[in-house]
Amino acid sequence: MALNTHYEQIPVTTLASGNELFFPLHRLEGRAPGLTLGLSAVVHGDEPLTNEVIRQVLSRIAPAQLRGTILAVPVANPLAFESLSRHTPIDMLDMNRNFPGSPTGWLSEQMAHVLATRFVSQLDVHLDLHTGGIFPTVDYVYIFDKSRELSLAFGSQFLFEPTQPYQGTFAVPARAKGIPFFTAEVGGGSFLDTHYVEHGVRGVMNVLKQLGMIDGEVVRPPRQTIVTEMAVIRPRMGGMLYPEIGLDQLGQEVRGGTLLGRVVSPYTFETLEEIRAPFDLGYMILLRGGMMRVNPGDYGYMVANAQTARDA
Ligand SMILES: [Zn+2]
């Protein structure tokens, strides 16, 4: 599919293999003036669905309908993507915990520094796309400073306003520049890719509408809920995970104590751990849609506290 974008490469370094490491950058310039929106995907290499969201967004917008510019980095960690790994295999670091990076640091820090100084530096607004990874499926959007209206416009049912955001994420260079930034977590797990790609594309289009960069009404669900308390439930035992709730429960209420899944030893077939829902009443934000291997410490499930949630 031919895109209307100008394609550039942002050089990073030369690898020991002799190959050049670079970031791909698509520039879609509208015919009319406006803001510059940055889109980034695959900061975590095991979240390829976000790449498809950007491809579809760029293919659906003609320069004549666009006010301003979209700058898109569809693979923000090519080394991690190559290995379908969350972390950069060469230094084992999570680049999304190492912003703003450093030109003299570990490779992931050098990459983060280049993204901050050569990409985020050009933006008025930045949206970073994520999924639950290869196995979990997720659906929520972060609210950070300055991003409230844009986060709502993305159109997810749940919004997470963290009291203590993760340190070192892509939010760091945006915050230093004083521009709105937010993260959208959409899909993953591969079970419902078509559904979540559409959700992601609709979300980005909504953001473009909210920013006045394209015409059209923002499409939002009838009810959106802001959560402030999120439990990340990590298995304490590794083995085979047998889910007790299905993907249809994503976004649904869950009573405290509900059995979410069991970790079973693939060697003895004993049940090693029963994973249960926290909080008296919660909302399922991330879950695992099928039987699969889990490691201790993986993102097993995420449940938001419904009792401290509020309508948006
Ligand atoms: Zn991610």
Side-chain angles (χ1 to χ4, degrees):
M1 192 183 313
L3 299 179
N4 292 305
T5 64
H6 175 70
Y7 177 68
E8 304 161 32
Q9 294 180 342
I10 304 175
V12 183
T13 186
T14 302
L15 300 168
S17 62
N19 293 319
E20 299 296 318
L21 178 63
F22 62 86
F23 296 118
L25 180 69
H26 286 265
R27 182 183 298 272
L28 178 56
E29 296 217 20
R31 296 265 162 77
L35 296 168
T36 298
L37 169 67
L39 300 174
S40 49
V42 199
V43 171
H44 290 135
D46 59 348
E47 301 174 9
L49 180 144
T50 55
N51 177 267
E52 173 62 5
V53 170
I54 287 186
R55 191 188 70 84
Q56 289 202 20
V57 166
L58 295 178
S59 69
R60 288 186 196 188
I61 299 174
Q65 5 161 206
L66 181 64
R67 286 178 286 275
T69 302
I70 299 174
L71 280 184
V73 174
V75 183
N77 192 335
L79 298 170
F81 175 65
E82 179 182 40
S83 299
L84 279 182
S85 151
R86 179 180 175 89
H87 295 207
T88 312
I90 287 176
D91 56 20
M92 302 294 185
L93 292 176
D94 180 344
M95 189 176 68
N96 205 34
R97 299 290 182 273
N98 282 281
F99 282 96
S102 159
T104 56
W106 292 97
L107 177 57
S108 294
E109 296 176 285
Q110 295 187 27
M111 291 162 69
H113 175 75
V114 171
L115 286 168
T117 54
R118 300 286 305 276
F119 170 58
V120 180
S121 58
Q122 303 189 55
L123 308 179
D124 298 313
V125 184
H126 181 194
L127 165 54
D128 189 30
L129 297 164
H130 287 254
T131 78
I134 296 293
F135 299 111
T137 307
V138 71
D139 192 354
Y140 72 102
V141 168
Y142 280 90
I143 296 182
F144 294 125
D145 319 337
K146 303 184 184 202
S147 82
R148 175 169 299 268
E149 292 308 314
L150 296 172
S151 295
L152 283 165
F154 192 87
S156 298
Q157 188 187 347
F158 289 98
L159 297 105
F160 179 34
E161 192 172 45
T163 45
Q164 290 199 308
Y166 290 120
Q167 301 297 303
T169 69
F170 228 157
V172 171
R175 196 170 294 136
K177 192 168 188 274
I179 61 170
F181 167 91
F182 72 103
T183 305
E185 300 272 355
V186 185
S190 297
F191 295 101
L192 295 171
D193 276 358
T194 306
H195 169 78
Y196 283 109
V197 167
E198 277 172 25
H199 177 14
V201 171
R202 187 172 58 241
V204 176
M205 293 296 190
N206 275 339
V207 169
L208 286 162
K209 292 171 188 171
Q210 180 74 28
L211 292 168
M213 293 176 70
I214 59 172
D215 289 332
E217 289 289 311
V218 172
V219 184
R220 281 168 53 175
R223 185 175 170 202
Q224 288 177 290
T225 303
I226 297 175
V227 302
T228 55
E229 228 180 316
M230 187 90 85
V232 177
I233 306 162
R234 300 177 184 275
R236 297 171 68 182
M237 302 286 187
M240 289 289 283
L241 176 81
Y242 291 83
E244 292 287 339
I245 61 167
L247 267 182
D248 59 329
Q249 293 303 300
L250 197 58
Q252 301 297 311
E253 288 185 352
V254 61
R255 293 267 157 207
T258 301
L259 186 58
L260 304 176
R262 289 178 299 119
V263 181
V264 173
S265 166
Y267 306 104
T268 66
F269 304 123
E270 294 170 277
T271 295
L272 301 175
E273 184 179 3
E274 290 186 342
I275 300 175
R276 293 184 181 274
F279 308 127
D280 287 343
L281 185 64
Y283 299 118
M284 292 306 309
I285 302 294
L286 175 146
L287 57 78
R288 288 169 176 257
M291 181 190 68
M292 58 185 70
R293 181 271 284 151
V294 285
N295 285 316
D298 277 349
Y299 278 89
Y301 294 86
M302 284 168 62
V303 179
N305 191 347
Q307 285 173 319
T308 52
R310 64 184 193 274
D311 284 342

